[in-house]
Amino acid sequence: MDPTEQNGTAGQNGPGEPQDLSAPRRARRGAPAPTDPEVSGEQGARRAAESGSRARRAQPEDAVPTRAEAPESPVQAGPGRTVESEQTADSAQTAAEPQAPVRTLAGVAALRAVGFAVLALAVGIACALIPRQQRDLGVVAGVVPGQTLVCSPSQQAAQLGAASTSPTLQIADLDGPGSELKVPASISIGTSGRLVRSVSGQGRPTATTMSVVGRGAAAASSWSNCATASTGGMVIVADPSSSDILVTNPEADDASVDVSLSSAKGAISATGTRGITVPAHSSKVLPLSVWVPGSSPVTATLSTDSGRLVAVARTRGTAGAETIAMSSPAQNLWIPAVPAGVTGAELLVFNPTASRATAKVTALAAGGPFTPEGADQIEIEPHSTIAVDVSKALAGEAVGLSVSANTAVGAQLMATKGKDISMATPAAAATSLQSVLPRGGTVSLSNSSDQPARIRGTYRTLSGGTIGFTALLPTGVTWTKDLGTTGGHLVVTADHAIIGGVWYSREGLSSVPMSVVSGAVRSPRIVVDPQLS
């Protein structure tokens, strides 16, 4: 074989040099040797040229053939023609034809970026063409778990009022099954206790018990809220010699109760105040008048390490009758619904800590806030209960009270009118409040926030009537409205937190704070535009 042909066929490397297995090898696979008898003349040269062209396109753009990759001598392809001359002619023809674009990674990334930009622009234009939804801020009642209120037994035959933002509630004895009751409602319960229940998904229940003894100026009324069971609390009584404490255990197991007593002279040690057993589903009277025989104000603090309880203090005597619910000490307290027209007003303050407490009282009245005389700086010794006379300062005006101290304290206000008394107790400030009134009464709302509050109220009577009202309460102002003599369900909403309560003064004197409507929050309510299908 001719040496030139051998060199071209062997891969164009010199003797003893390693073969280049890159593009020239792929070119050899694509075209038979030009000396193959089956391929000759111009056809063989064209096929070899096409194979070389494909090999060159497979190489990177910046690849430059080395000398070893080029044939060192022309190879005969036919009479008077060589492969080199044919490749040169073919290359010129290929250069004249348009080349296919080479898509690098950078080019692909650029195309994708452009595509995403176009898509985002299209989505933005489409959203701009859709009409905007209208939004209305309103009160949305959230789903709340079921709740049970405990109504303590009464000293006299009582009326139970029950209501909710839902149409029905369950009423049951302390140890019996419940029955469905359409609300608002008022039923007679005698002197026994009751349970008022809601199920999961219903609005929070509210319930009160009221009893009235006597008629006219000699009448005495007792009105108190039913409450959820807890592990403890405190209650202040003005005259322990005519009072007792009633503890109710609504649980299925017995409860062990401890009682701590505090008077103006500090803590009181009394026999029989520890480890008191209250049987399941029952109530027990604790002899406060035996533990503290005097007539000075006393605070009873109750706690249990097993089970839960509800406790009230009951007072009855020549000064009238009242049932006082438990509350908890706090550094800032709000006391709503101090009745108008009272002849006496006494603030009872309790210091449960081991250090001296200093408290200040602010009255929220119809004309704005003021500090009652003698209540700007009240000193309370450790573990002590004192009484501060604010009758002259309040002058029979309907007010709400703010009590702030340097430490947690307890506070209540005892009001006197004729031969009856009323005990105003602390309440929470909220934007949605409710109460149930067995015999009607007067609603008293105080703006405890630092901004004017716009209020809206609805009173649904037991006879099917509705009383609505609206008002704007400046900061520190108390507003009242008479709701008549018919029982019903009262709901009040406001755009800022307020405190509220209801008093009853047609027969005797009583007041109760309004309770918070659980789950009431201000949240956007979406109203879909009617143009959207």
Side-chain angles (χ1 to χ4, degrees), residues 262-277:
S262 299
S263 67
K265 297 181 179 180
I268 299 174
S269 179
T271 303
T273 59
R274 302 287 175 180
I276 304 170
T277 300

Side-chain angles (χ1 to χ4, degrees), residues 154-183:
S154 304
Q155 298 182 85
Q156 305 292 332
Q159 288 287 121
L160 167 64
S164 172
T165 54
S166 299
T168 61
L169 292 172
Q170 289 187 354
I171 308 295
D173 295 333
L174 293 180
D175 59 350
S179 59
E180 203 78 8
L181 179 67
K182 186 178 180 180
V183 293

